[in-house]
Amino acid sequence: QVQLVESGGGLVQAGGSLTLSCAASGRTFSYYAMGWFRQAPGKEREFVAAISWSGGNIHYADSLKGRFTVSRDNAKNTVWLQMSTLKPEDTAVYYCAARYTPSRIVYYTGVGEYNYWGQGTQVTVSS
């Protein structure tokens, strides 16, 4: 079992930047592939970014490439999502998710592929 707690959300103007953190506790964080998702009001939860537990493999939603950066530090049990050039359409609750995997290179992009979820952090981008 792993517990995830997101932080760093808030209100930001369009064009601004924000960095979200996801702190993990419980089992060995190093063997968990991590993902970021977001859910806007009235919409399905959607994939944002994923990172393998080694940090060597990363994948982004096509629409977010170049603006969002995911990273992790296994020694700190933390994964981050750096968001820049934010747009009002980025407004959503952002969730981090974890899935145990013995593979150091695998990442997951589907909501149903993750076993553990944080409670989410609200990001609001004003125009």
Side-chain angles (χ1 to χ4, degrees):
Q1 183 106 5
V2 63
Q3 293 79 42
L4 305 173
V5 178
E6 302 96 335
S7 61
L11 175 63
V12 63
Q13 288 188 330
S17 300
L18 212 54
T19 297
L20 306 182
S21 300
C22 175
S25 61
R27 305 292 291 272
T28 305
F29 179 67
S30 297
Y31 295 104
Y32 284 82
M34 301 296 295
W36 284 98
F37 292 78
R38 68 185 184 183
Q39 188 167 17
K43 294 188 177 181
E44 297 288 320
R45 191 169 298 188
E46 65 174 358
F47 169 74
V48 172
I51 185 168
S52 62
W53 67 249
S54 69
N57 277 12
I58 290 172
H59 186 70
Y60 298 98
D62 287 342
S63 62
L64 301 176
K65 287 180 182 177
R67 295 197 298 122
F68 287 21
T69 302
V70 62
S71 59
R72 67 187 293 163
D73 185 335
N74 290 340
K76 296 182 179 179
N77 286 5
T78 302
V79 62
W80 295 274
L81 183 69
Q82 295 174 277
M83 307 183 293
S84 62
T85 320
L86 284 163
K87 305 175 182 179
E89 51 263 43
D90 294 319
T91 295
V93 177
Y94 283 72
Y95 299 89
C96 69
R99 172 174 171 167
Y100 174 83
T101 174
S103 170
R104 63 185 292 114
I105 64 173
V106 169
Y107 57 79
Y108 304 94
T109 61
V111 171
E113 296 183 289
Y114 286 91
N115 307 107
Y116 304 102
W117 292 84
Q119 83 290 347
T121 186
Q122 175 71 46
V123 172
T124 302
V125 184
S126 64
S127 57

